[in-house]
Amino acid sequence: MATDLPVTLKWVLAISLIVYVMVMFGVCLWAHKRVKDVEDYVVAGRRLPLSLAWATLLATWFGASTMLTQAGEVAREGVRQAALDPIGGGLCLIIAGTFYARPLWEMNLLTTSDFFRIKFGEKAEIMSALIMIPSFFGWIAAQFVAFAHILDYFFGIPFVLGVLLVAIVGTSYTLLGGMWSVTLTDAIQITLIIIGLILLTFKVFAAMGGGDFSHGLTSVLTHVEQVSPEKLVWIPHESASQFWAWASILCAGALGNLPGQDLMQRVFASKSATVARQACWVAGGAYLALGMLPVLLGLAAASHFGSKNEDSVIPALAHVFLDPVYTIIFVLVLLSVVLATIDSAILAPATVMAQNLLIKVKWIKISPLNLNRLCVLFVATCSLIMALTQSRAFSLLENAYSMTMVGLFVPLTLGLFLKPKSGWPAIAAMVVGPGLWLPQYIAGWTYFLEGFEPIGSIGLSLSLSCTGAALTAYLILHYLLKSPVTAD
């Protein structure tokens, strides 16, 4: 339901959004002129300096899930929900910079699936692409859903129409200039995001503290009003099953997206291996720091609203504590958050689909550049369908991490740091991990073999258990094979 903003302010907001989108399209049109071939479109010609590389990484990570959905989860469940975002996501970037960025950059790749082809053969490449591509749909859908709620909240735009509008704008960005469009708009958008989020946090806690920011923050963190002590517990310890569920979410966030094309595309686009590593470190540290602000705002919402507005807590806080001018700025920040993630997340699976699947089909006569653009449309359409048929953005995001974690983390890591003898260990891991995870997820099970006693009663994490099974399958075949054997 729309909020009761004055009609004049709604018109100013609407005009501001339209002007902002037009400016971003102008940037994309300029970027479009720089796209001469597939390498320009997919990895910005491998020319990104540190200033652009870390900015586009941070903007990609800092999406609607962090800014909007996560704050609602914290308001409802407490700070333990920060395990996925921002703690898991921030650790993922730092781990990537420390262990993965340099060796992968030096392989001169366009996609993560190129790595699986080089290390394990074409079958592994195709399987990795089939696992990776659908895992992005939930991530993209989460962005569509989140900003559609914002349009409903401020303007009363119906959810379906809001999703369609966000999808059209985000997809158009990506179609125009590929990685160049994404990078340049990300640099602008992350600047607005940082300023707007810091501004909102200061305003909210200062208002709650009677004009004193530190007093407002202290009040929320010492259980006043609706913030119960349980909501301030970072690591649940009430039972073993709750702890392992929390650990599973943390691992999914920290490890699940390491094979992700959205992360690695920025590594490959950096102008050197050193820049790639530094970009991951800077973005990871910034993400951990900046991502804690929505966590604090979630607690503030729990204190101020109680059980109300759980799906739109940050917009509700902005409406209560910001004056009209700041409200306009804040809504523009929200749009920046969503678009910065949407364009990146659409481009990543689209390039994998084009470069690692469809380009191999001999009867397809489309140029590689146009093939990438058609795949952008396909990915956006699939994500749009998911957004219109799912209701909870947080679960969509969590499932996306889990798919890549159970299917690709093991072969990526062991393929990078062990010398592969064959493609079969990677294929085995890609079959065993998702093969165990998917049917149990469809069954609605939270724990590994939940429907079978006595294993189900132990409360083993589903994603961690399936990743462990993939690791076991890989290592067994790796050490059984005495000499190199092709999987093709």
Side-chain angles (χ1 to χ4, degrees), residues 230-244:
E230 292 77 16
K231 288 187 176 181
L232 299 176
V233 176
W234 289 89
I235 303 176
H237 51 267
E238 296 89 345
S239 66
S241 61
Q242 287 188 343
F243 170 78
W244 285 112

Side-chain angles (χ1 to χ4, degrees), residues 12 72 95 176 295 338 377 379 392 394-395 401 409 420 423 439 444 447 464:
V12 174
I95 292 169
L176 279 173
V295 173
V338 173
L377 288 174
V379 169
R392 200 172 176 208
F394 181 80
S395 63
Y401 277 119
F409 169 70
Y447 305 115
L464 287 179

Side-chain angles (χ1 to χ4, degrees), residues 214-288:
S214 60
H215 178 67
L217 181 62
T218 302
S219 297
V220 170
L221 295 180
T222 51
H223 324 154
V224 241
E225 300 181 15
Q226 302 294 329
V227 180
S228 62
E230 292 77 16
K231 288 187 176 181
L232 299 176
V233 176
W234 289 89
I235 303 176
H237 51 267
E238 296 89 345
S239 66
S241 61
Q242 287 188 343
F243 170 78
W244 285 112
W246 175 88
S248 174
I249 293 174
L250 177 66
C251 289
L255 306 178
N257 205 47
L258 284 170
Q261 174 66 10
D262 54 341
L263 167 57
M264 291 305 163
Q265 199 159 6
R266 282 141 188 80
V267 170
F268 306 151
S270 299
K271 69 177 185 180
S272 70
T274 299
V275 167
R277 296 185 75 191
Q278 292 173 346
C280 291
W281 288 334
V282 174
Y287 187 73
L288 286 170

